[in-house]
Every structure is written in structure tokens, then in C-alpha cells.
Amino acid sequence: MIAFYKRHELIFKRPSGTSRGILKIKETWFLILKDGAQEGIGECGLLRGLSFDDVPHYEKKLQWVCENINLGLENLLLSLVDFPSIQFGLEQAFLSLHSKNPFHLYSSDFLLNESPIEINGLIWMGSKEFMLEQISDKLESGFTCIKIKIGAIDFNTELSLLSSIREVYDKDEIELRVDANGAFKPKEALSKLNALAEFDLHSIEQPIKKGNWKLMADLCKTTPLAIALDEELIGVTEFVEKQELLKSIQPQYIILKPSLVGGYKGSQEWINLAEELNIRWWITSALESNIGLNAIAQWTYTLKNNLPQGLGTGSLFTNNLESPLEVIEGRLFYRKDLSWQTDIIEQLCI
């Protein structure tokens, strides 16, 4: 078996804002395996400034993986605890290598019968006008669950945006989620949660920065609005520490991005622990190309989670790989009559 990787720079159609800054490009690496006539592909998706494995020697570690690919998947995963995105790329690549079709990783009705996954529509930070434009587009497209990134513009303006939606749609018509990306200062967090709760929101992701378990636990006990941990999970790799985190904070939800928490295996460990504590969860992509999004979606469908998932990021880029993935009225489909953009994939595998 041989392995190699190719770097790919995804370009956003429009610069996308978060509380940590504006995203214009997204780096990703495709990991390709070849064993005789068989080929497999996986995506190692890195988020600069957020990924636990955003380190200067990232590419050297990818090269090491390729040089030692014959150690096998399990041994490699054990050696990559500090590189969750590479763990996930490897899991995908080995599944792809051993499948009849390199893009069919998990057999299910999602893949075989076009059974969809309900997803949320994502609203990026920006001016009030830009955010209203996005919200209007998502509602017209048939989304019934919208996730709005908050924390970068004036808070009262954000409240007025939520109010404008609730004036037209109640909580039974449109589910609203917000994502603060840790933007709230500890002293103001509870008052802001109280203000947000007026709009019948489903949940808020990561209201304060990660690392303050005591304050987050206090917020989860007193909040009028369900709290979902996201960044808080990143970099927590040991089973005992995962267990301690969930028991200490007792969040209402956790959100799992396989590229950031150790791929399928790491995500499943979080799920098992959460369910033991009656903590609910959902899956989110981390701005992967359609290669990684496909791998996340096929796995997610098999989990039979009835909440809307965060898998609507495939249309963000100008140079994504064309694929059978299609979003219609807030649901993600794998269309049997659509094809992968094989010319680009063949170029990657040269």
C-alpha cells in the first residue's frame, strides 16, 4: 500500500464572519491510499485558530503518516491523538479503500434510497443588512431550522434580528439556534442568555470561552436557554477527562465535529458518554469540502439522531468538488443520478 496527500485551498464565495474573524479561505488536505487497483480518499480538514492540531509541523505529521501507512489504521490512530483531523482523514481513507465505490462509506437509506438528513441553515456574522439577506434566503429555501452566528456586531442589533424573525415565525414554524463562539464575557453571559431566551431559541453554542468549567457549569444550571458545548470539547482526548468534563458541566447538548474531536471513533466516545448522562447531541461539519462532508453525512445518518444536523456547508465555496450531495428545503440528500467531479479527483490521485 502507498499513501500520499494533496493540499487544497477552498475559497469562500463571500468572506464569512465569526467572532474570531473573517474567513476567506479554508485549507484542507486530501489523503489518498492506493493498494493495487484499489484507491481510497479521505479529507483532513483543518480550521486555523480553532483546530487542536493547528501546529507548524502539521504537514510533517501528514508526511510521517504516509511513510508509515503500513502500520495499519488502529496503530496509526493511537499515534495521532494530538491530530484529530488526520485521524478522521485516515478513517475515511481506509473505509474508502475497502469499499466498492470510494465514495460509498456507509450503506444506508441515505445512500441507497435518497432518504434525507434534516439540517440547519447557517447565517454568518456581518452587517445587519447582510444577515437579514441570509435569513431571508434560508427561509425562502425552505429551512425550518436556522443557526445564527452572534457576538461580532452590536448585541441589541442581534436581538432585533431575532425579533424580526419571531414577528413572522413562531418556534413551532422556525427553530432558531445561535452560536456565540465563546464571545460573551463571563460577567455579562447570564444577562445575555436571559435576553436571548425571550425569542424562544432552541439553544446557544459556547456562550463563553472554553476552559472555565466552573463558570460554564453554573451557567448550565441557571440558564433559561439550553447550552450546547462546542469548542469546549476540542483538545480533550482522554476518556477520563471527557467523562469529567461532562459530569462537571452537565450541558444540555454537545456538538460534535469529527475533524476536531478525533473522527468517528472520538465522536462516538463523546456520544456514548453524553447518552449515559442524558445529554443530547448533534453532528456538525467543520467547513470540509464535499469529500469530508460526504463522509460525515453518511455516518451521521446511521446514528438516527432526529435533531437537525449542521451539515449545510457544501455550497460555501467557489471551488468545491461537485458531488451527489444536494440541499433541498433544509434537507441534505445523496442523489443517485448525480456524479462526483471525477476529473479533479483523478488529478488528486496522480
Side-chain angles (χ1 to χ4, degrees), residues 6-14 23-30 43 287-292 313-323 340-345 347-348:
K6 293 288 182 73
R7 182 180 180 274
H8 186 63
E9 197 170 88
L10 294 161
I11 302 169
F12 282 84
K13 292 176 180 177
R14 296 179 71 165
L23 301 173
K24 296 181 180 179
I25 63 167
K26 163 68 168 60
E27 296 170 88
T28 200
W29 282 262
F30 295 117
E43 180 172 357
L287 303 180
E288 291 88 355
S289 78
N290 280 332
I291 295 289
T313 57
S315 61
L316 294 175
F317 309 110
T318 63
N319 60 337
N320 207 343
L321 303 171
E322 292 180 13
S323 79
W340 285 90
Q341 190 176 350
T342 53
D343 57 332
I344 291 182
I345 294 167
Q347 290 175 30
L348 289 172

Side-chain angles (χ1 to χ4, degrees), residues 109-110 114-118 301 331-334:
D109 284 340
F110 175 72
E114 300 191 358
S115 182
I117 300 170
E118 188 175 355
Y301 185 89
R331 297 183 297 170
L332 179 66
F333 293 84
Y334 191 101

Side-chain angles (χ1 to χ4, degrees), residues 131-145:
M131 294 181 77
L132 279 171
E133 177 189 338
Q134 294 179 81
I135 290 167
S136 178
D137 287 345
K138 294 299 181 188
L139 294 176
E140 288 178 9
S141 298
F143 280 89
T144 57
C145 178

